Amino acid sequence: MTTDASIPETAVLPTEECWRLLRGDSVGRLAVWVNDHPEIFPINYKVDHESLVFRTGAGTKLASALGKLVALEADGADTDGGVAWSVVVKGPATALTRTPELLGSVGQLLFPWETGPKDHFLRIVPESVSGRRFKIAAPLTWGGPLDEATRAGLE
């Protein structure tokens, strides 16, 4: 963990920095509304012209995202530097046509972790992009008792 006073507790990231971080990552969590409750799905995505593209198979994720407002959250950490970041993109998810151009460009770069057919490509067109960077707090500053696993890792 860091104690560098030059790193602010929390910093709001400019949009350009959010896109830079998203381009450097490929895994996020897609938040959708399913019937009467929220659901979150891990997805692999790629940035394409300041929008996000992911692929999925038929099912709950596709039915709940297609044509609806969704949110995608991605995050990362530099544990050696003691700094983490989080970016949230919100906007409608629209279907993309499977063209040779799509499959030859961004489609080649999408590697889902789960096996099975992922024949549907969706694009999240951002209505908002927000992010923040923050220092990773040392466990002893969390203000509560540590569980045995955390305590063992500090000894």
Side-chain angles (χ1 to χ4, degrees):
M1 301 303 141
T2 186
T3 57
D4 186 345
S6 68
I7 300 171
E9 290 297 319
T10 300
V12 174
L13 298 174
T15 303
E16 298 79 26
E17 178 68 0
C18 292
W19 284 113
R20 186 188 72 74
L21 290 166
L22 289 168
R23 281 184 182 90
D25 204 1
S26 64
V27 178
R29 284 150 299 284
L30 179 72
V32 298
W33 197 256
V34 178
N35 299 323
D36 61 349
H37 61 278
E39 288 284 344
I40 298 175
F41 297 93
I43 63 168
N44 302 89
Y45 70 87
K46 282 296 173 191
V47 174
D48 182 45
H49 300 93
E50 293 199 354
S51 67
L52 300 175
V53 176
F54 68 97
R55 59 192 302 177
T56 188
T60 303
K61 187 186 332 171
L62 177 63
S64 300
L66 187 57
K68 299 181 178 87
L69 290 175
V70 301
L72 176 124
E73 189 271 345
D75 53 41
D78 171 4
T79 54
D80 292 334
V83 179
W85 60 270
S86 175
V87 173
V88 176
V89 176
K90 298 176 187 174
T94 59
L96 295 174
T97 305
R98 286 178 52 119
T99 62
E101 293 78 22
L102 174 69
L103 296 174
S105 62
V106 72
Q108 281 188 324
L109 304 173
L110 286 168
F111 302 107
W113 288 354
E114 186 179 23
T115 61
K118 309 283 187 207
D119 297 331
H120 302 276
F121 287 81
L122 278 71
R123 179 184 306 277
I124 301 172
V125 179
E127 291 181 352
S128 71
V129 177
S130 61
R132 62 190 189 110
R133 179 174 283 123
F134 50 91
K135 284 198 280 188
I136 300 171
L140 295 177
T141 66
W142 293 347
L146 298 177
D147 63 25
E148 292 303 316
T150 303
R151 184 175 289 110
L154 296 173
E155 295 175 349

